């Protein structure tokens, strides 16, 4: 069973471990490199958790997926953005993305946000297919 948890700033080490796993697994899908993330100190990770909400999908105490949510700029066409979304390879196709989306929807409701934005590299066909199955619709925002 997968559970979703929003990380607190004191859980920065969990975010660091999950983010490094994501960057190592799929470096082409993120704008931050493993080297950049590895070089960040505790203060930087805590700051990340204060600027945005990071959700983890967990199974048997192990993080099997992550995603982040942050408020959009006032001139954006959405209320908040979703990014950094990743599922551990052994857990793909097992509902982790759907569980994370339920957690993201809860964060949006609690914040009073309505319109979600999600950035995905055009070359990431697998990710785009997953998000389409979750109900996301491609637009020209940011292109």
């Amino acid at each position: 069973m997968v559970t979703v948890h929003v990380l607190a700033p004191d859980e920065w080490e969990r975010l660091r471990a999950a983010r490094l796993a994501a960057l190592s697994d799929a470096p082409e899908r993120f704008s931050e490199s493993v080297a950049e993330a590895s070089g960040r100190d505790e203060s930087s990770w805590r700051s990340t958790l204060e600027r945005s909400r990071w959700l983890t999908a967990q199974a048997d105490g192990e993080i099997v997926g992550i995603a982040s949510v942050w408020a959009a700029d006032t001139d954006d066409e959405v209320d908040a953005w979703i990014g950094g979304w990743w599922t551990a390879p052994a857990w793909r196709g097992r509902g982790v993305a759907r569980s994370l989306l339920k957690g993201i929807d809860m964060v949006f409701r609690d914040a009073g946000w309505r319109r979600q934005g999600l950035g995905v590299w055009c070359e990431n066909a697998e990710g785009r297919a997953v998000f389409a199955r979750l109900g996301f619709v491609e637009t020209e925002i940011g292109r």
Side-chain angles (χ1 to χ4, degrees):
M1 178 173 177
V2 174
T3 59
V4 175
H5 171 72
V6 179
L7 294 173
D10 286 343
E11 297 177 285
W12 68 271
E13 291 173 299
R14 293 184 58 121
L15 173 59
R16 181 183 189 276
R19 181 73 173 165
L20 289 174
L23 296 171
S24 295
D25 172 56
E28 71 285 356
R29 295 189 179 162
F30 301 99
S31 59
E32 183 178 37
S33 71
V34 173
E36 290 167 331
S38 295
R40 294 172 56 192
D41 63 10
E42 176 181 343
S43 173
S44 174
W45 287 105
R46 285 179 179 274
S47 178
T48 296
L49 284 165
E50 290 166 359
R51 287 189 321 269
S52 56
R53 294 176 185 111
W54 280 84
L55 296 88
T56 60
Q58 301 174 64
D60 297 324
E62 174 189 356
I63 295 177
V64 297
I66 57 173
S68 65
V69 178
W70 65 94
D73 293 331
T74 56
D75 60 344
D76 287 344
E77 296 179 23
V78 298
D79 296 317
W81 290 100
I82 304 165
W85 205 325
W86 172 79
T87 300
W91 284 85
R92 291 179 187 151
R94 297 174 64 183
V96 173
R98 189 164 303 283
S99 294
L100 282 167
L101 182 56
K102 288 178 183 176
I104 289 166
D105 287 344
M106 184 180 64
V107 168
F108 267 75
R109 275 193 304 278
D110 291 349
W113 297 328
R114 295 180 190 266
R115 189 165 164 95
Q116 299 174 345
L118 171 66
V120 181
W121 297 120
C122 293
E123 300 81 15
N124 185 355
E126 179 185 358
R128 290 172 51 210
V130 168
F131 298 128
R133 284 193 300 274
L134 291 173
F136 286 90
V137 177
E138 284 194 43
T139 66
E140 296 296 319
I141 295 174
R143 288 190 188 179

